[in-house]
Amino acid sequence: MDSDWLSAFADVFSAVGTVGAFLLGFFLLRREHHREADRAEDERRSQAARISAWVEMVAKIDGGRELAFHIHNASSMPIYEVELPLPARADEEARVEFVGLVPPGQTVKRPAPSDWYRSYIEPEPVQIEFLDSAGLRWNRDEQGALARAEDA
C-alpha cells in the first residue's frame, strides 16, 4: 500500500511538472514572439523616425527675410511623395504643399504661405506625410508623434 501511494504521488508530480514545463515554454515562446514583433516595428520605423519638418524664418539673398518650410531627411535613403498638409479654417478647403522627393541627408526648403507670417513667432514643427523607401506611408504631427498613415 505504501509503494502504491508513493507511485501515485510520483505520477502526479511528474504530470504537474510536465504541464508546468509546457506552460513555461509557451509563456517564453509568446514573450519572444512579442519581442520579435517589437523589433520588426522598430526596424520599419527606423527611417521614418529620422524625418522632421518645421517652419522657420530664413534670410533671403537680397537681405530680406521669408518664412520657409524645412523638411529634413537624416536617413540614408530618400523619402518620396512628401506632403505638408496646411491647416485651413472650417469654411476653407484643405490645402497641401507637395514637395515630392527629399534626398538622404538633406534639408529641402519651400516658401510658406504668406498668411503664416501673421502667426509666426519662432521655429515650430509642422505636420508632414511621406512615403519611406520601403513604400510605407507615415505621418508626423505638429507635436512630433510618428504614426503609420492609413492607406486610402
Side-chain angles (χ1 to χ4, degrees), residues 10 20 25 45-46 48 73 83 94 103 110 116 121 126 129 134 138 150:
R45 294 175 71 89
S46 66
N73 178 2
E83 297 177 345
R110 293 284 190 272
W116 282 49
I121 298 171
V126 293
E129 291 184 12
W138 296 91
E150 298 297 324

Side-chain angles (χ1 to χ4, degrees), residues 19-113:
V19 169
F22 174 76
L23 291 176
L24 179 63
F26 182 73
F27 171 75
L28 292 174
L29 178 66
R30 184 177 162 104
R31 189 168 72 178
E32 185 59 31
H33 177 66
H34 286 301
R35 191 177 294 150
E36 187 62 34
D38 289 346
R39 253 187 251 124
E41 180 63 20
D42 288 346
E43 193 173 304
R44 279 191 292 275
R45 294 175 71 89
S46 66
Q47 182 183 18
R50 295 173 170 264
I51 309 303
S52 57
W54 66 96
V55 63
E56 184 176 13
M57 193 69 72
V58 294
K60 293 177 19 181
I61 295 173
D62 65 4
R65 296 169 56 88
E66 76 174 338
L67 195 59
F69 293 118
H70 297 71
I71 302 97
H72 182 66
N73 178 2
S75 75
S76 60
M77 299 291 289
I79 56 172
Y80 308 94
E81 297 180 19
V82 178
E83 297 177 345
L84 301 169
L86 303 176
R89 292 188 286 263
D91 60 336
E92 293 180 342
E93 187 175 325
R95 296 177 300 164
V96 173
E97 175 73 24
F98 184 77
V99 177
L101 175 100
V102 178
Q106 293 191 20
T107 301
V108 172
K109 297 176 187 169
R110 293 284 190 272

